[in-house]
Each structure stands twice: as C-alpha cells, then as structure tokens.
Amino acid sequence: MSLKHILLGMLANPASGYDLKKDFEYSLSNFWNAELAQIYPTLGKLEQDGLISSKVQPSSQGPNRKVYKRLKAGQNELTNWLKQGPIIPKMRIGYAAQFSFLQELNYEERLEFVYALQRDTKKRLAVLQKFVELYPLPGAEKQSEHFSTKQEKEAYALQALVIHHGLLRLQALLDWCDLAIAQMKAIK
Amino acid sequence: MSLKHILLGMLANPASGYDLKKDFEYSLSNFWNAELAQIYPTLGKLEQDGLISSKVQPSSQGPNRKVYKRLKAGQNELTNWLKQGPIIPKMRIGYAAQFSFLQELNYEERLEFVYALQRDTKKRLAVLQKFVELYPLPGAEKQSEHFSTKQEKEAYALQALVIHHGLLRLQALLDWCDLAIAQMKAIK
DNA sequence: TCGACCATGTAACTAGTTACATGATTCG
DNA sequence: CGAATCATGTAACTAGTTACATGGTCGA
C-alpha cells in the first residue's frame, strides 16, 4: 500500500491524522489524496508495525489529539521505498476514455464536453497558481537567498519543483483542450 | 464503477473479454488499463443488467469465444454517462509524492531518482510515438482525405486527438525532469 | 514436445470510498 | 443556539490486483 509510505514521508514532523488530512487538502492534493477513513487505520497499521509511535496530547480547540512521530524503523522503510525508484502510476484518466467514445454524442454535446474539461482545468490551474506564487522557482528571482541553511534551500527547491510539476501538467492539458476544440470545429 | 462504462464504450463493435484486454494493452493503455480478472466479471454484470448480450462462437485458434455486443439499454447508459461531463481523475502520482520526500536521500541518490524517471518517460514516449505516426493530426498533412464518410473522419480525429493527449502529457513530464535536474544541480 | 498465445474463469487479497457514530470548542 | 471546525474512529461497500485453475492450438 502506497499510502503507508506517503504518510511516512509526510511525518517528517509529528502530526495527527487530522493534520495529515489537511496537508492532503492543500498543496499535496495535486498528486495524492486520502480520506480520514483511510488515514486513521493506516496510521494504526504503521504503529503496529513499529514504524511510527503515537502520543495523546490535549488540543487547544477540541478533543484530544493523537500525534504520531516517525521512528528509526520508519525512516529506514521510507528511504528504502525511495531508493526503489519512481513509481509510475497506472493511468486511469476517465475524461480521456470518455473522449475516445465521443462519437456517441452529437457535435454540440461533444464540444460542450471539451469546454467543460477546459473550464475545470482553468479552475484547478487558478488554485495552483496561488501555490506557484508562494513557491517561485529559484534562479529567475532573488528568493532562496532568504534561506540560510542548505537544508532549507533543498526543502524549498523540492517544494517549488513539485508544485511546478502540477503546473506543467495542467498547462499541457489546457493546450490539449485548445487543440481538441480546434480540430473538432475543423471537421464539423 | 467506471470500468463498466469504459467496456460499454469499447463495445462499439462486438468483442470478447480477451479482445478487450488486447485493446487495453495497445493504444488505450495510455489512459486506462484493466486485468482479465476484472474484465470477465464486469462483462458478466453488464450482461446481467441487460446492457450487453453474449453469444458463444468457435475460435479459429483456441477454445470457444464469448462475444459480447452492446444492447440499446447499453447505448443509453453510455450516452448518459458521457453527458454527465468529463470525469476528473483523483490524482495518485506516486513519483511526485516520492519526489517531495527526496530530502531523505543524498544528492547522488536524488539525481538518480529523477534520471530514472526521465529514462522511463522516454521509453514510454518512444512507444507512443509509433501510434502518433499511425494517427497524425489532420490538417498539417494530407491524410483524413482517405476517409469517405463523415463518421470515419470523426472516428479518426478522436483517435488522433486522444493519442496526442498522451504525447503532450509525456512531453510535459520530460520537460519537468529537465527542469528538476537543472534545479537540483544548481543548489548542490 | 515445449513455449507462446488463445480463451475463460474463480478466490483471496489490497486499496480506497461512503456512510455512519460520537463528541468537544469556537464564533456569530 | 446553530453552524463550522476540531478530532477520532468503525462498518459496509466498491474497485482493482495477484495468484491460481483449466485447457486448446500453432509453430519451431
């Protein structure tokens, strides 16, 4: 199960299941997501396996929190996972499958399908753009000098790059929408 | 379950479960895949639901084939699905999650991670390129005039576009690999 | 005759989703 | 006082994967 390793990675700093869910909802959701109903049992398994440990702490606002931290065994498991090389996802791109069946619809319905995809992509791009502004790539501008330690520079660069990955992906999709609309109009 | 609808879409022409698996392995695998162990039961459910029907036919080479064809109810189900608009996949991009944890590895290991991703992407791009050659976009060249009926032109254009979608996606990923390698070297 | 491919299926398991259950605090 | 947010969990279900079982045909 990949989520085990993802949570292990996210636990660079101690956090509760609820905290981790928040992380998914923000920037992380561009490349992974998980529901609380999956996070809690998975944290339980990680603890059983001795990869993380938990400590109950009072919350400033609400019931007690169960804060997890990564153990040495968890650290090892994580680096081993990373050393096994990049995991190429099995593609399940629903809209692309649907697109290849668009002959079943008429001209207007087909175009509307692609317009809807375009609108959705623009919306998601607008959300991402805010993160891109928070994490501009080092080089072009003068940021990154803000960071004193090498650790901080590295952390910043990785964050910025992963956000940029989402950006390139969404831009490529938008380009494709334009192409599809043009082609579909051309053969009308 | 999306696979139900995908199979329904793929059954524009009658086919057996084995045939459909072949379709996944070729061009389709760029945006969807399914194993035979999932295809056979799903075809069974579709038949139970009265969306497709089957007929056992002798094979020229091997045991009897169970050939399915789409019924009117299946056609309706398919168009309703398409009219509900594009399905935006929940992203589960393993390598991107891993990338955001690369601080756990040292410089050489991190670079090797991205090089491995680059190699894999180039490989997949080379495979796709063969389909791109079979289905060049109409407009630039003189193909698509080969097709007499509007139906054929439309089918060709949709195929060409969906293949091009994969192309743009992989090219964006390659661009990102270059960017990541450059940035990571810059902050070494 | 052996391996590759044709062809269909079941069983056990893993991963992920949706719905439900519970209860505290904070802000308007 | 009601809605939003904090906080953790279970149960039932859906989707997908891996392993296993069976057996036919064709070509080297």
Side-chain angles (χ1 to χ4, degrees), chain B residues 135-164:
Chain B
Y135 286 87
L137 283 180
E141 306 286 312
K142 67 279 168 190
Q143 65 305 317
S144 89
E145 270 114 63
H146 302 321
F147 306 111
S148 39
T149 72
K150 199 181 172 182
Q151 300 276 313
E152 281 174 323
K153 268 188 203 171
E154 288 171 351
Y156 176 87
L158 290 173
Q159 262 296 302
L161 277 168
V162 91
I163 288 168
H164 216 76

Side-chain angles (χ1 to χ4, degrees), chain A residues 2-18:
Chain A
S2 271
L3 183 61
K4 269 191 191 173
H5 293 110
I6 309 263
L7 293 180
L8 227 33
M10 291 167 80
L11 282 173
N13 300 308
S16 69
Y18 198 79

Side-chain angles (χ1 to χ4, degrees), chain B:
Chain B
M1 196 203 323
S2 271
L3 184 62
K4 270 190 189 173
H5 292 110
I6 309 264
L7 294 180
L8 227 34
M10 291 167 80
L11 282 172
N13 299 308
S16 69
Y18 198 81
D19 293 339
L20 294 166
K21 174 62 185 161
K22 290 288 167 200
D23 292 344
F24 278 123
E25 277 166 14
Y26 300 125
S27 58
L28 211 64
S29 66
N30 282 290
F31 49 89
W32 205 279
N33 197 22
E35 301 303 321
L36 280 170
Q38 197 192 357
I39 293 171
Y40 287 125
T42 304
L43 286 170
K45 276 175 226 151
L46 283 167
E47 190 171 22
Q48 265 184 21
D49 295 349
L51 303 179
I52 61 177
S53 69
S54 69
K55 192 163 53 167
V56 175
Q57 283 179 355
S59 166
S60 54
Q61 35 185 4
N64 280 349
R65 294 156 49 77
K66 211 162 155 186
V67 177
Y68 292 90
K69 77 170 178 191
R70 206 199 276 159
L71 300 176
K72 255 170 242 160
Q75 173 80 34
N76 291 340
E77 179 63 30
L78 176 58
T79 53
N80 285 339
W81 180 60
L82 294 173
K83 282 177 193 165
Q84 276 160 30
I87 291 172
I88 307 302
K90 295 184 184 158
M91 292 301 163
R92 293 257 152 78
I93 309 178
Y95 66 79
Q98 287 174 304
F99 184 88
S100 69
F101 308 137
L102 278 192
Q103 268 206 299
E104 311 289 341
L105 301 183
N106 67 37
Y107 176 76
E108 284 75 25
E109 291 167 333
R110 281 180 216 175
L111 259 188
E112 171 49 27
F113 182 92
V114 184
Y115 280 132
L117 180 59
Q118 191 182 44
R119 286 194 299 272
D120 181 275
T121 309
K122 280 181 179 167
K123 244 181 242 171
R124 290 190 294 144
L125 196 57
V127 173
L128 230 201
Q129 213 85 45
K130 284 169 198 162
F131 290 102
V132 175
E133 280 156 29
L134 283 173
Y135 286 87
L137 283 180
E141 306 286 312
K142 67 279 168 190
Q143 65 305 317
S144 89
E145 270 114 63
H146 302 321
F147 306 111
S148 39
T149 72
K150 199 181 172 182
Q151 300 276 313
E152 281 174 323
K153 268 188 203 171
E154 288 171 351
Y156 176 87
L158 290 173
Q159 262 296 302
L161 277 168
V162 91
I163 288 168
H164 216 76
H165 175 277
L167 187 68
L168 287 181
R169 214 167 31 79
L170 289 183
Q171 278 169 350
L173 180 50
L174 263 192
D175 289 346
W176 181 78
C177 288
D178 290 341
L179 180 70
I181 291 165
Q183 291 282 323
M184 288 165 82
K185 282 183 177 171
I187 60 156
K188 197 207 165 169

Side-chain angles (χ1 to χ4, degrees), chain A residues 137-182:
Chain A
L137 284 180
E141 305 285 312
K142 67 277 166 195
Q143 64 304 320
S144 90
E145 271 114 61
H146 302 321
F147 306 111
S148 40
T149 72
K150 200 180 171 183
Q151 300 276 314
E152 281 175 324
K153 270 189 203 170
E154 287 171 351
Y156 176 88
L158 290 173
Q159 262 297 301
L161 277 167
V162 92
I163 288 168
H164 215 77
H165 175 276
L167 188 70
L168 287 181
R169 214 166 32 79
L170 289 182
Q171 277 169 351
L173 180 50
L174 263 192
D175 289 346
W176 181 78
C177 288
D178 290 340
L179 181 69
I181 290 165

